[in-house]
Structures are given as structure tokens and as C-alpha cells.
Amino acid sequence: MRHRTRVISVVVMLAAALALVPLATAEEKPQYGGVLTRFIYADPGRLDIHTETPFPVQIATAGIFSGLLHHDPADPAKITGDLAERWTGSADGKTYTFFLRKDVKWHDGEPFTVADVKATLDRLLHPDFRSPRCGAMLKPMVAGFNAVDRYTVEIRLNAPNSNFIPSIASAWCRIVAKHILEKHGDLSRPEAQIGTGPFRFKRYERGSVIEWEKNRDYFVPGVPYLDGVKHFILVSGPTQLAAAKAGRLMLWEAWPPLLRTQVDELQRTRGTEIEVFTAPVNTVAMVQLNTQKPPFNNRDLRRAVYLGIDRQEIITKAMDGSAMPCALLDPKVVGDFALPLEEIQKLPGCRQPKDQDIAEAKRLVEKHYPNGVDIEASIRSVTDYVDRAQLVVSQLRRIGIRATLKTYESAAGYSIYGKGDFTLIATQDTGMVTNDPSDVFMLLFRTGAGRNYGKWSDRKVDDLVEQGIREQNQDKRKQIYHELQRYLLTQDTPGVIVGWIEGAFFAEKRVRNYRPGPTVFDNNTFMKVWLAR
Amino acid sequence: MNLRGLARAARRRPLGALGGFVVLGLVLVACLAPQLASHPPKDAAFPRHVAPGTQFRMGTDHLGRDVLSRVIWGARLSLYVGFTSVAVGITLGLLWGIFTAYAGGLADGITQRIVDVLMAIPPIILALALMAVLGPSIDNVVYAIVILLAPTAARTIRSVVLGIKTTLYIEAALALGCSHARVVIRHVLPNVLPMYVVLLTVNVGYAIMAEAALSFLGLGAPPDEPSWGGMLSAATRAIETAPWVMLFPGMAISLAVFGFCLLGDAFRDVTDPRLRQGLG
């Protein structure tokens, strides 16, 4: 029942978004041709969809690769076959069999077979292979797999898991070519972008543009409608807005969401040409602490930061009010798996006014550093991170932590974080791979999680995360996640959840058939999008 | 020079006096920033975009920081960058220019080609490239501006030294057996110093502009530092709704550059014998 409520809430959100996005009417026939223009908010750098976590990497390669399953472009709430034409699950819920399409070719003309799926799974599930998104999701679930024949693959799970099919359908779990892996070693470079998707990788000009062109041998007949997609790389907010106002962008659907002031400006300049819509973002903003280095290897200092950060101030001043503060799970996405907001907002750290929490935070800092402590706060210099980080630095100063801000170019920042070469990340957003409540804990809090940059490890959290994944009874599952949230909100934590981000996007009215996916990562292949003339 | 002398000089060169007054004012503001600023410059404790009024004389910015306090502290940062980079850059240029002109030959040829290369690159592009390599920090801004200033100063000083080198008193000093070091220190350097002082004053305004430009482009001072250029950059997103956030740091940059330019012009006039004798 509760699970149904959660599903209904997501479906309602998608439906609300769809009602506002210009869709093709029943009478309209899709028109072929045209190049869709949009933007990526940072230069992706390395393009390996399996090893990288930045959203720009996923955006840059979304139309190039296919998965076994994906979210139906016509109805993104539904998961359908992509490279697998169908799949079956065993009665005990522990074995899934995927039957592959036989008519698929890679962009270089090589045939697609089960060997490619096997090479992909071998790569993703190898214990030494670092795959912070797809691999991190699948490794704890999958016991093994085998190729039944040239076009059938069977995957066995450790235990029944309701998040397995959404994970396989996730935009990060794409199937890559065995012969390309053998040739290039990884998928980092543009020449390794050989997929089976609706578009071919045409051009990557660092810091400027990424272009796709139509795959005329795509295995789904009749699509794509577009001749290509052009992604401009626009890093600064004012440049992005200027490009949108000047009509260089037909679609703003990924990241960052539009601020209210930006929506007002766009509607003043292009009000008759565009439709503004809201869509689920399912992305969390967080301050992260390196728990392996002083001073945040000390639990008291972590608690001090947790108490001292004023989430509401950051959201109001730097995020235009477009986020829901404090919660570890977004009730709009996961329903009553999330703790009630009223409960969270009364807890230390989130409660307002902040005086009591700041006093306690100062006391904790002074206990270990009577004269305060100097640290370096790192951020990637993208979107509104710089503004948020300045507020974090200002708030830390109030509790005796003097932070110096250090900015990094997007890809360089991820590299630093991945190596653990930081003390505090002043802000970092993480988009969820699926809408399952386990996602945020799998990505950010579990030992070894892909976005657990501070290398935090807590046995109780790991145990609860494991229980939450395995539990099939939804009421018991909800209890596990409530316990997990209460523990993280009141005991120890590797950082501070600032809030779940909300926001608006726009599409030009001539962009038809674009449907937002259940997460920001889904349904951005533009396979069925077309441009009305 | 006593007060009466200063007053006479001010009457003779009123624009220079105005420049000196502005620069003195900026130096005082920078030195007394902790006393003059009513709030810490990084403290975002107030409501955002409060219009100028009795509580906040220059309003608050998009993060709720007092703009007046940031402008005051920004003077300290701008003058630090301006004075430090110019002092180091022009001094390096002085030594470089004297060495290359006095030594002549191959050393002059090689070093002048380096100067040619550096001067062939547009200064702002060179500064951006340097900052991209060095990373955003105040000290790195100083290094970048030093690298911009030193070659041009070296070229200017070299041209002066080439003229001095052929004068009779240098020939006489050498004929009397003076060492080259003595000739440079006792005869060349004193004659180059007026040009050095002019270069110092004229380039402080340029360095302040360069720092503001780099910070405006996000490659200068770290974003939370109260830099006038950085404040301008942050203000661009609310030009229509909160114009004061852009107005005051913009005025501060203009005033500082104006002051240093007037002062530099006055120094140049005083040290140029043709202008001093009314021949210019």
C-alpha cells in the first residue's frame, strides 16, 4: 500500500510535468530533421559512463549507448526493453533472464551479441573496478551471471531485490562493446564512444561543444527523428541564461534547474516561444567531510559542522528557495519511506532559530581547538556552487572553523574528491540513479559508496542499508529506512544534507515529444523527440 | 617638502593633487578597514539584496553581506595587489632593463626576444592563461601581474639606459677605471630612477584593473574574498533588481584607477624635463 503511494506520487509528479511540456498532439505526425540545441553545465572530460560519476558525462553519452532495459521514452514511468526485447524473473525472485535483440549493430558495424553484455557485466562487477554509480548499485545485489546462448543472458541475485530492474534500466548501466574495450582499454576518449544508441558521437571540442548525429542503422525503426543534437558546454550561470534568452537553446531540461529569477527573465524575453515546466530532479545537495583526515576524523568536529550549517539560509540565499531542507529522503519521491518533515525540522541541526545549535557547535570546536581551526573548503566551480560555498564558509566561521575556499574546474574537482585529497567539500549535488529509497544511502553513506568521498564507514549504517535492500516487505522496509534516517540525523554523519533540489526547466514549443524521466538521468537520449517547423 | 611646499605644488598641478588626495584616501581606508567596516566582509548574516539605507549604507549583496564593508575591505585587497605586483614587477623590469641595455650583445638580443614574445600576447589573455595554470588565489594574481608588467617595464627602462650609456660622463667614468658595477650603481641607476617612479605610479591603476578583470572572470581572488572585480561579477545576475551591488564596487574601481592615473601623470610631468620647462 505504502509502496503504491510512493509510485503514485512519482507518477503524479511526472504527469504534472508532462502536462506542461509541449507534447505531440494526436493529429501531429512527427517531422524528420533539425538539430536540437541544449547545454551541458560543465566539460565532462573523461567520457567513460561506467567509471565516472559527473552528470555531464551521462548527458554527453546518453544518446550513444543503450541498456538492456530503459525507461520507455513514450512513458518514462514505465521500464521497457532496450537491447533486451523481453525479460523474465524466476519465482523466487533471484534469477532474471534477458533475451537480447538479434538485429542490433554497433555504430562501427560490428554485430551486438551476448559477449558484449558479458564484457560489460565482467567490467562492472569486477571487485577491483571502480564504478561509482552502476557498479556500486549492482555489486551488492548480483551473485553471478552467465551467457545462456548467443542472445540470452541470465543474472543471479544474492537475494530478491526490488531495485534490481530499476538499476539495470538506469542511465548509468549502459552496455558497451567488447571489441571497443579490448581496443581502447576504457571509454574515456571520444573515439571509444561506439554504442548502439539512436545517435552517433560526432564531435567533442573541449570546453565548447559536443555533437551527436543521427544513427541511420538504429535498431528501432523510424527513429530518431532529429538529424542530431548539439550540446553547448556553458559553465557560468549568466552565460547559460544569456544563451537561453538569445534563442541558442531549445531545451533546458537537465542541470541546473532554472531559478525563479531566471524563469521571470526568460518569460519576459521569450514568453511566447517557450513552455516552463517543473520535473522531478531527485538530487540532493550535501556538504561532505573527509573523515580520514583531521579535523573531521573527529566525531565531535563532524557533529559541530552538522549543527552549525544553516540549511535554510543556504537554500533561501543561494538556491532561490528551490530545495527542501534537511531531509535524508525526499517524501515527494519516496513517499512515507521518508521521515515526516515535521519531525526532521525539530531535530538539532535543522531546527530554527539556530542559536542553540550554533552554541553547541562552538562548544564542540573549542573543546578540541580552543583557538579555532583553519581548514580548506573545496568546490567545483559550477552552477551556483560558488554562492552556496561562500555561505558555508561564512557559517563555519561562526562556529570557529576558518575555511579558505579553493575552487576547481569540474573534472579536476571530481579527481581531487575521488583521491580523498580534500578536507571539506563545501557543496556537492548528487542525482539519484533510481527512485528507490536505498539509492541515497547506497551512493553517499555506505562504506565504499561511489559518492562517499569522505570515506566514512559505520557498521550500523552498512547493516541497515543491507537490510533495506534485502527486505521485501514494504512495511518492514519502511521501518528500516526510518531507523537509518534517525541514526544519521541524530548520531554521526559524514556530512550535512542541505536539501533536496527542486526546480523548473523549459522547452521551446517546437520541441515535441520530450518527456522528463523519473530521475534527471533518464530519458535524455532524445530518441523520439522531434522539431515542429 | 613642508606643508607650504605641498600647497604650492598642488596649486601648480591641481589634477595631480586630486589624484594624490584620492590615493591617500584609499590608503587610509585600506589601513583602517577593520575600524571603518561595520561588519566582517565575509559574514553573510543579513537579508539578501537590502537596498541602501540607514542600516546598510550601500545595501547588501545576493548572499546578505554588507556591500560597504566589502568595498572597504576590497580597497585593502586592491591596493595590496596593486602595490605589491607593481613594486615587484617594475623592480624586476628595472633590473632586467638595466642589465640588458648595459650588457648589450647576445644577452640583449636573447632577453629582448623574450620580451617580444611576452608583449606579443594580449595582456589579458596572458593573465588568464597564467591564472588557469596557477589557480585562483590572491598571491597568484600578484605573480600573474608581475609577469605582465616586468617585460614592458624592462623595455622602457632599456630605452632610457641605452641613451645614458652613450653619454660622456659614463665614458669618463669608465676611462677613469670605474668598475661596471660602480658605473651602474652610481651613474646609471640615479638617472633611471625618475622613470622608475613614473612607471610605479602609472601601473598601480593598471594592476588594480587587471586584478578586477581577473576576479570578474572568476580567475582572480577566491570568490569569498572582498574583491571589487569579484563583487562586480557576482552583481551581474541582479543588475535589474539590485543595481547597487554593482554600482559601488564599480565606482571604487573607477575612483582608484582615476586617482592613480592622475598621480602618475603628475609624476611624469614633474620628472620630464621638457614638460617641466614648458616645452612639451
Side-chain angles (χ1 to χ4, degrees), chain A residues 36-330:
Chain A
L36 179 78
T37 55
R38 58 182 306 289
F39 78 95
I40 309 181
Y41 67 93
D43 199 320
R46 293 164 55 85
L47 295 170
D48 194 327
I49 186 75
H50 289 162
T51 60
E52 305 302 312
T53 64
F55 190 16
V57 178
Q58 196 275 326
I59 299 171
T61 59
I64 310 303
F65 295 97
S66 311
L68 286 175
L69 311 177
H70 69 164
H71 288 268
D72 187 346
D75 179 7
K78 207 170 90 185
I79 290 173
T80 59
D82 195 7
L83 288 169
E85 55 191 359
R86 64 193 172 87
W87 74 97
T88 58
S90 64
D92 65 358
K94 289 171 74 174
T95 306
Y96 287 86
T97 308
F98 297 88
F99 302 93
L100 309 180
R101 286 174 172 268
K102 297 181 175 117
D103 54 349
V104 182
K105 281 184 179 170
W106 293 99
H107 292 163
D108 59 2
E110 292 288 317
F112 160 75
T113 68
V114 77
D116 298 306
V117 179
K118 186 174 180 310
T120 302
L121 291 174
D122 274 337
R123 187 175 199 234
L124 287 167
L125 300 174
H126 193 284
D128 298 333
F129 183 69
R130 188 180 143 74
S131 176
R133 285 196 188 263
C134 184
M137 296 294 290
L138 292 182
K139 276 178 195 172
M141 303 181 198
V142 176
F145 62 93
N146 62 294
V148 178
D149 59 38
R150 190 171 160 79
Y151 291 104
T152 310
V153 65
E154 190 180 84
I155 301 177
R156 296 182 308 283
L157 307 187
N158 293 315
N161 193 312
S162 58
N163 203 32
F164 174 66
I165 289 296
S167 298
I168 284 288
S170 131
W172 295 91
C173 291
R174 306 285 88 176
I175 302 298
V176 300
K178 182 177 181 232
H179 66 283
I180 296 296
L181 286 177
E182 286 168 353
K183 184 177 174 188
H184 294 285
D186 62 29
L187 306 173
S188 297
R189 284 169 294 169
E191 53 270 30
Q193 304 309 302
I194 303 293
T196 52
F199 293 95
R200 293 164 187 262
F201 200 86
K202 183 181 174 189
R203 185 165 73 107
Y204 176 13
E205 216 170 279
R206 288 296 294 264
S208 175
V209 70
I210 287 173
E211 278 189 74
W212 304 341
E213 62 185 356
K214 180 175 184 161
N215 175 14
R216 295 184 189 279
D217 295 325
Y218 186 47
F219 59 81
V220 180
V223 292
Y225 299 112
L226 298 166
D227 286 339
V229 179
K230 197 180 264 193
H231 312 264
F232 297 109
I233 299 168
L234 305 176
V235 177
S236 88
T239 313
Q240 293 159 2
L241 185 63
K245 284 166 72 179
R248 284 183 75 205
L249 308 177
M250 296 176 185
L251 188 62
W252 181 319
E253 90 300 354
W255 199 256
L258 286 158
L259 302 174
R260 281 178 204 147
T261 47
Q262 292 176 317
V263 170
D264 292 344
E265 269 192 76
L266 268 172
Q267 282 181 324
R268 274 202 299 275
T269 50
R270 298 186 68 197
T272 56
E273 300 164 29
I274 61 166
E275 291 283 0
V276 174
F277 60 95
T278 53
V281 182
N282 206 1
T283 295
V284 67
M286 188 174 178
V287 177
Q288 293 198 35
L289 310 170
N290 191 335
T291 63
Q292 302 300 305
K293 278 184 178 177
F296 300 119
N297 56 355
N298 181 322
R299 187 176 170 147
D300 281 347
L301 268 288
R302 292 200 292 273
R303 185 70 185 160
V305 173
Y306 184 84
L307 293 172
I309 295 294
D310 187 338
R311 291 86 162 154
Q312 288 87 343
E313 184 184 45
I314 294 171
I315 290 168
T316 306
K317 289 182 174 175
M319 300 165 78
D320 220 13
S322 301
M324 188 192 57
C326 307
L328 277 162
L329 286 172
D330 184 352

Side-chain angles (χ1 to χ4, degrees), chain A residues 268 313 317 386-387 390 394, chain B residues 44 46 62-63 65 223 237:
Chain A
R268 274 202 299 275
E313 184 184 45
K317 289 182 174 175
V386 171
D387 287 344
Q390 291 180 72
S394 168
Chain B
F46 310 107
H62 66 299
L63 297 179
R65 295 171 296 199
R237 72 196 73 184

